[in-house]
Amino acid sequence: MRNLHPKPVARFALIVALVGLTLGAGDDARFNQLGHKLMCVCGCNQVLLECNHVGCAYSDRMRGELAASVERAESDDLTLQSFVQKYGPTVLIAPTGSGFNRVAWLVPYLALALGLASVVIIVRAWSRRAQPVTAPSGDAADLLDPFRRQARRETEL
């Protein structure tokens, strides 16, 4: 049997360990990235990786599915789409920017723009309306006296 020197074997083992840690770190980062795009469906309204319900029936199973998907090296879109198909669109933290979900992104901004436009139109209309007529002075007031007397007589004031 051939004797291997300890230094080359140690170097090889160190290289294998570093490569394994590097690949594992990439998977962990991807797992965390995808896990923070998903919501736990148990009703806690928390991010999947941060669900802290004791005995949550969903979070452990969903984390396992996510880890398996990362290990299979599925694309991010495929992984997220598989969760949407299984748990529904509410599993995503943010709605996608396509289809009907685009409305969820546009309606708040549209409502804000319409509200601001309405306020501007109303303020302009109020500022342009006619000024109130002032009370008549002098001779014009004398013209109204007969009508005031008649109104007092008829109402007995």
Side-chain angles (χ1 to χ4, degrees):
M1 194 159 147
R2 185 175 159 200
N3 269 341
L4 295 175
H5 291 77
K7 285 188 178 182
V9 172
R11 285 183 190 155
F12 181 72
L14 180 63
I15 291 172
V16 168
L18 286 176
V19 168
L21 287 175
T22 304
L23 292 176
D27 286 348
D28 287 343
R30 188 163 171 257
F31 178 81
N32 284 331
Q33 179 189 10
L34 289 172
H36 282 92
K37 290 183 179 181
L38 298 170
M39 184 178 290
C40 184
V41 294
C42 69
C44 65
N45 292 328
Q46 292 182 352
V47 175
L48 174 61
L49 299 182
E50 297 172 6
C51 179
N52 58 2
H53 275 134
V54 176
C56 179
Y58 292 99
S59 64
D60 290 335
R61 179 177 48 186
M62 291 175 72
R63 287 181 190 139
E65 291 172 10
L66 181 59
S69 177
V70 168
E71 284 180 21
R72 287 190 302 265
E74 292 179 355
S75 70
D76 293 355
D77 291 335
L78 181 63
T79 301
L80 294 175
Q81 192 60 32
S82 67
F83 273 88
V84 168
Q85 287 177 354
K86 185 169 186 177
Y87 298 106
T90 57
V91 75
L92 296 176
I93 295 275
T96 60
S98 62
F100 183 73
N101 290 334
R102 191 173 296 160
V103 173
W105 290 105
L106 295 178
V107 166
Y109 298 109
L110 184 62
L112 178 65
L114 288 175
L116 287 174
S118 299
V119 167
V120 168
I121 290 170
I122 290 171
V123 167
R124 283 187 180 174
W126 284 349
S127 66
R128 291 182 182 164
R129 69 180 174 185
Q131 298 297 324
V133 177
T134 58
S137 61
D139 295 334
D142 295 337
L143 295 174
L144 295 177
D145 281 338
F147 298 109
R148 287 188 185 123
R149 279 184 289 218
Q150 182 183 356
R152 284 189 192 113
R153 274 191 312 251
E154 290 176 1
T155 58
E156 297 179 5
L157 289 177

